[in-house]
């Protein structure tokens, strides 16, 4: 450990100078957005001046001293202005963006990988998710290192995955789910720095919480570093009476400490003298300090003491164990809002900002100047910034070459199969390959590896662990279908049952190319209804533009005997609504093979994204057909005609996924009475709808030739024809089809929790069986009564 006495006093002085500048820039950025910049709609812009200020010292010590280029940081959402201020000093953020903080095209409210121009490693905003992301990013770094890839193998040494955590953020359950997973996988190289200011949005954090934190982290194998006292306090404790002062600080309730901080030196003096000032030595200790010095002493917590922070980070750099730093801070430190219980959303008044301006020696009109008001010469400060270790080397965002995907993905077709079975067979065939493509596929699943048909893949490619672990059943000669061994060569990351962890892991795997310079092709499997359990983490992953494939199965009320708790209804709409996620629901395995191949390309494309495959356990008859490029192209675009409508068509049936047999049967029944009936296979309602809205926007922008695939598909449908759509999910999934060309439409689907029963029972109950489709067609376009049509009920 580097001792403070051995450290350059000039370095500490420059860090303190720059800390002042960072605090000023962050505070002014928020003030400018709320009080200087024109506000057309009159709404409060906000910006969390107090929550941001509490991180100024910690982030100064981190970014200007402790971090290295290989490190990756998830910044506490409310510390965004401090982050942007640091990047401004580094030359990676512009004045224009800061002046437009929280405005259109300006610096973002919370750090964003995709929307900010400065060096954001992990987007934050939905509290707790950025914290967990660093844990899973560390596991991904270990995965790559075990295979001789990534940092340490061409892109620099292994980095620290760092999260800056608000203490109230520790209420989020996903953080503790992640801790469990980290323990299972032998987590390394992870720092979580808790900004322990004992204030949340609406209240003061409960007494003794740090003891609970310390106990939890130590039980999971983390080192815990408590940064409670700064250098001034430690020096005071060494004076006569100092131990009594320490005892008072340790036993002072959080609300009282905050209130006295806000009130200042006079209040501190009165309270301390009232409580412990009659003990001679303590009275002298207090009496030797002016009100201003006493306030500085009591505010000198570990999280605001640069030498203590730099030393703690230096010490932790020397090993790879996970570390939780609990840094005591004051919310609003250095501002007039410091300590007040209402300061979370509070904004400094113009008068208060002018007082702060005077204290920081900032002249009007020079608020954005890099070194305005600082005592150290600008050239000296700039030379120091140029030499910051974090800025050494080239880009911190990598762009490795794409992995070549095979021209086709082969699957041994059977006469009847389910798409879930076909998915397992496709992965098994990929597992047989000995090429870069197969080696970069990595799968993960929350305790449902077998039941989502990944078993054969894992048999071939093994489970990942940093150390070899034998399959006990195999060792004991017990017959088993699954030969599962753990080792560094494994390509499956087995997780516990928490879906939040699944999507956070997929987010980390899906950013490997940018963070660590190595592409992976991640696939996660889970039960379709439980997407909603991890939806916040899925949204967060897509917001970061992480790239991965989700195979969600089984789905819908087609999982009939399982009942309503395991039957998904809303997931097709989630697939359509989620930005950055292309959603598919194939009926046949040859469609799935085309879609999966597309997904491997899509996750690598510059304008691509992630992919969601909604699969089924229902075994249906498979078509025997040649998959030519034209058909494959239509499948990827979202739909194709199984039976093209004729010029006199009165009815078209459009379906998705497992309802293919019912739709085919319904068309056969309707054809007894009508000619030219059409049957439209929808492989992606999401892609069809997105293409349609995109074409409309293009035409509104002047591109009169713009044309969507769904518009072309529906061109042959006569104006008077009706469209009956059916999906094992919410009917709104396909309910918009009639709007494309103004056709009458009836959307069938599932709107209520299902029941137990057979597939036939439930399809009949919800009216999505063949008879239900025929009844809808009859109501839309009456013809002669169809034979064998059952009455409702």
């Amino acid at each position: 450990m580097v001792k403070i006495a051995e450290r350059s006093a000039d370095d500490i002085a420059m860090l303190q100078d720059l800390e002042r500048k960072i605090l000023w820039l962050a505070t002014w950025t928020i003030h400018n957005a709320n009080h200087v910049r024109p506000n057309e709609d009159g709404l409060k812009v906000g910006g969390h001046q107090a929550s941001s200020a509490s991180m100024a010292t910690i982030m100064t010590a981190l970014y200007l001293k402790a971090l290295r280029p290989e490190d990756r940081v998830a910044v506490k959402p409310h510390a965004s202005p401090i982050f942007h201020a640091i990047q401004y000093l580094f030359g990676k953020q512009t004045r224009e963006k800061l002046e437009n903080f929280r405005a259109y095209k300006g610096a973002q409210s919370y750090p964003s990988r995709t929307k900010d121009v400065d060096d954001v490693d992990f987007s934050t905003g939905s509290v707790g998710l950025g914290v967990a992301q660093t844990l899973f990013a560390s596991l991904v770094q270990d995965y790559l290192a075990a295979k001789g890839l990534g940092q340490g193998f061409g892109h620099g040494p292994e980095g620290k995955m760092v999260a800056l955590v608000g203490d109230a953020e520790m209420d989020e359950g996903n953080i503790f789910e992640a801790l469990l997973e980290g323990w299972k996988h032998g987590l390394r190289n992870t720092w979580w720095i808790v900004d322990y200011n004992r204030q949340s949005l609406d209240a003061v954090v409960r007494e003794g919480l740090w003891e609970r934190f310390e106990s939890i982290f130590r039980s999971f194998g983390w080192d815990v570093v408590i940064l409670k006292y700064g250098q001034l306090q430690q020096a005071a404790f060494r004076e006569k009476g100092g131990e009594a002062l320490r005892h008072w600080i340790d036993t002072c309730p959080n609300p009282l400490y905050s209130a006295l901080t806000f009130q200042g030196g006079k209040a501190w003096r009165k309270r301390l003298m009232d409580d412990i000032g009659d003990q001679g030595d303590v009275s002298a200790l207090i009496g030797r300090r002016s009100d201003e010095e006493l306030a500085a002493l009591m505010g000198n917590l570990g999280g605001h003491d640069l030498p203590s922070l730099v030393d703690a980070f230096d010490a932790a750099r020397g090993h790879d164990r996970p570390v939780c730093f609990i840094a005591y801070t004051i919310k609003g430190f250095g501002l007039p809002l410091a300590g007040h219980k209402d300061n979370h959303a509070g904004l400094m008044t113009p008068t208060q900002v002018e007082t702060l301006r005077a204290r920081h020696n900032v002249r009007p009109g020079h608020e954005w100047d890099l070194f305005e008001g600082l005592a150290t010469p600008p050239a000296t400060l700039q030379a120091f910034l140029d030499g910051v270790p974090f800025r050494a080397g080239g880009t911190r965002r990598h762009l490795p070459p794409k992995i070549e995907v095979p021209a086709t993905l082969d699957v041994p077709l059977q006469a009847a199969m389910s798409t879930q079975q076909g998915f397992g067979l496709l992965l098994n065939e990929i597992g047989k390959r000995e090429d870069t493509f197969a080696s970069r596929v990595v799968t993960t699943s929350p305790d449902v590896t077998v039941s989502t048909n990944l078993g054969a893949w894992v048999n071939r490619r093994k489970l990942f662990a940093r150390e070899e672990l034998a399959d006990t059943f195999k060792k004991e000669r017990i017959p088993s279908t699954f030969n599962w061994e753990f080792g560094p060569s494994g390509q499956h990351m087995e997780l516990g049952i928490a879906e939040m962890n699944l999507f956070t892991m997929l987010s980390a795997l899906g950013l490997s190319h940018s963070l660590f310079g190595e592409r992976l092709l991640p696939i996660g499997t889970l039960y379709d209804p439980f997407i909603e359990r991890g939806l916040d983490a899925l949204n967060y992953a897509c917001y970061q533009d992480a790239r991965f494939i989700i195979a969600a199965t089984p789905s819908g009320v087609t999982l009939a005997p399982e009942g309503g708790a395991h039957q998904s209804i809303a997931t097709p709409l989630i697939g359509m609504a989620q930005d950055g996620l292309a959603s598919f629901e194939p009926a046949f395995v040859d469609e799935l093979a085309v879609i999966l191949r597309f997904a491997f390309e899509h996750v690598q494309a510059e304008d691509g994204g992630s992919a969601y495959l909604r699969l089924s356990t229902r075994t249906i008859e498979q078509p025997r057909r040649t998959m030519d490029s034209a058909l494959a192209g239509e499948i990827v675009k979202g739909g194709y005609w199984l039976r093209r409508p004729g010029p006199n068509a009165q009815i078209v049936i459009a379906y998705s996924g497992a309802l293919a047999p019912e739709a085919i049967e319904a068309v056969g029944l309707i054809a007894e009475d009508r000619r030219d009936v059409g049957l439209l296979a929808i492989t992606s309602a999401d892609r069809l709808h997105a293409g349609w809205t995109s074409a409309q926007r293009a035409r509104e922008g002047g591109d009169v030739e713009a044309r969507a695939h769904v518009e072309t598909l529906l061109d042959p449908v006569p104006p008077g024809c009706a469209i009956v759509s059916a999906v094992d999910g919410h009917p709104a999934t396909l309910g918009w089809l009639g709007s494309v060309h103004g056709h009458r439409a009836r959307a069938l689907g599932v709107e209520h929790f299902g029941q137990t029963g057979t597939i036939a029972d439930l399809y009949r109950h919800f009216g999505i069986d063949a008879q239900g489709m025929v009844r809808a067609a009859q109501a839309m376009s009456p013809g002669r009564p169809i034979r064998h049509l059952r009455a409702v009920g």
Side-chain angles (χ1 to χ4, degrees), residues 26 47-48 51-53 55-56 59 75-85 109-111 164 195:
H48 304 286
S51 297
S52 185
M55 292 295 297
M59 292 177 67
V75 175
K76 186 182 85 165
H78 294 155
S80 168
I82 293 288
F83 173 79
H84 291 310
S109 309
Y110 310 117
L164 303 174
D195 175 19

Side-chain angles (χ1 to χ4, degrees), residues 26 28 30 233 257 346 367 378 392 398 432 444 457 472 494 591 602 609 612 654 675 696 700 763 793:
W28 178 257
I30 299 168
Q233 289 188 351
Y257 210 98
E367 293 86 358
H398 306 292
K432 295 177 182 178
T444 185
W457 159 264
T472 302
E494 183 64 8
E591 296 171 354
H602 188 62
Y612 159 35
R675 295 182 299 164
Q696 290 178 94
E700 290 159 6
Y763 282 10

Side-chain angles (χ1 to χ4, degrees), residues 419-720:
T419 48
Q420 176 176 303
Q421 180 187 3
F423 171 76
L425 291 173
L426 281 162
L427 265 291
N428 186 46
E429 292 299 310
I430 293 171
K432 295 177 182 178
R433 302 176 67 96
E434 296 295 335
D435 57 10
T436 302
F437 165 69
S439 73
R440 295 306 178 99
V441 173
V442 54
T443 59
T444 185
S445 187
D447 203 33
V448 291
T449 298
V450 174
S451 51
T452 55
N453 277 50
L454 278 178
W457 159 264
V458 177
N459 272 356
R460 292 189 180 280
R461 293 290 177 157
K462 301 182 181 180
L463 297 106
F464 173 75
R466 293 207 324 272
E467 298 177 356
E468 297 284 352
L469 297 171
D471 184 328
T472 302
F473 274 68
K474 180 181 178 181
K475 184 178 179 181
E476 296 296 326
R477 301 177 183 275
I478 301 173
S480 172
T481 306
F482 303 105
N483 176 24
W484 286 8
E485 298 177 353
F486 288 84
S489 66
Q491 290 179 238
H492 178 73
M493 303 280 285
E494 183 64 8
L495 301 175
I497 204 164
E499 283 79 10
M500 290 290 284
N501 282 346
L502 169 73
F503 287 118
T504 314
M505 171 63 91
L506 286 172
S507 181
L509 290 166
L511 290 173
S512 174
H513 61 286
S514 178
L515 296 175
F516 306 121
E518 296 289 352
R519 284 194 187 275
L520 295 173
L521 301 172
I523 301 175
T525 66
L526 78 164
Y527 293 171
D528 192 67
F530 301 144
I531 281 178
E532 284 133 325
R533 283 186 177 180
L535 193 53
D536 193 16
L538 170 59
N539 180 66
Y540 170 68
C542 291
Y543 179 68
Q544 297 203 91
D545 196 26
R547 303 299 185 85
F548 51 86
I549 299 168
I550 308 164
T553 179
S555 62
V557 297
T558 302
L559 188 60
E562 290 287 327
H566 278 195
Q567 296 167 356
S568 53
I569 298 171
T571 50
L573 297 178
I574 291 170
M576 292 181 70
Q578 180 60 61
D579 189 18
L581 188 70
S583 172
F584 297 87
E585 187 166 1
F588 304 115
V589 174
D590 62 351
E591 296 171 354
L592 174 60
V594 169
I595 290 167
L596 184 59
R597 187 200 175 280
F598 165 78
F600 283 127
E601 295 274 18
H602 188 62
V603 297
Q604 300 185 77
E606 185 176 345
D607 60 348
S610 293
Y612 159 35
L613 316 181
R614 189 175 192 249
L615 308 181
S616 176
T617 49
R618 187 187 185 191
T619 298
I620 64 175
E621 185 178 346
Q622 298 294 307
R624 294 290 178 179
R625 58 187 175 184
T626 300
M627 183 59 67
D628 58 29
S629 60
L631 177 56
E634 290 197 302
I635 288 169
V636 166
K637 290 176 183 176
Y640 64 95
W641 288 107
L642 263 178
R643 175 171 171 167
R644 194 175 183 83
N648 299 305
Q650 296 174 305
I651 292 292
V652 162
I653 301 290
Y655 74 91
S656 270
L659 297 187
E662 283 64 35
I664 292 169
E665 181 184 352
V667 167
L669 291 171
I670 295 169
E672 294 179 5
D673 178 49
R674 297 173 175 83
R675 295 182 299 164
D676 296 348
V677 180
L679 180 58
L680 182 60
I682 305 294
T683 53
S684 175
D686 176 32
R687 299 272 288 175
L688 284 184
H689 189 270
W692 179 45
T693 55
S694 177
Q696 290 178 94
R697 280 194 299 268
R699 290 194 291 269
E700 290 159 6
D703 183 3
V704 295
E705 301 298 323
R707 194 87 174 133
H709 180 57
V710 70
E711 293 170 327
T712 304
L713 276 177
L714 296 180
D715 276 347
V717 180

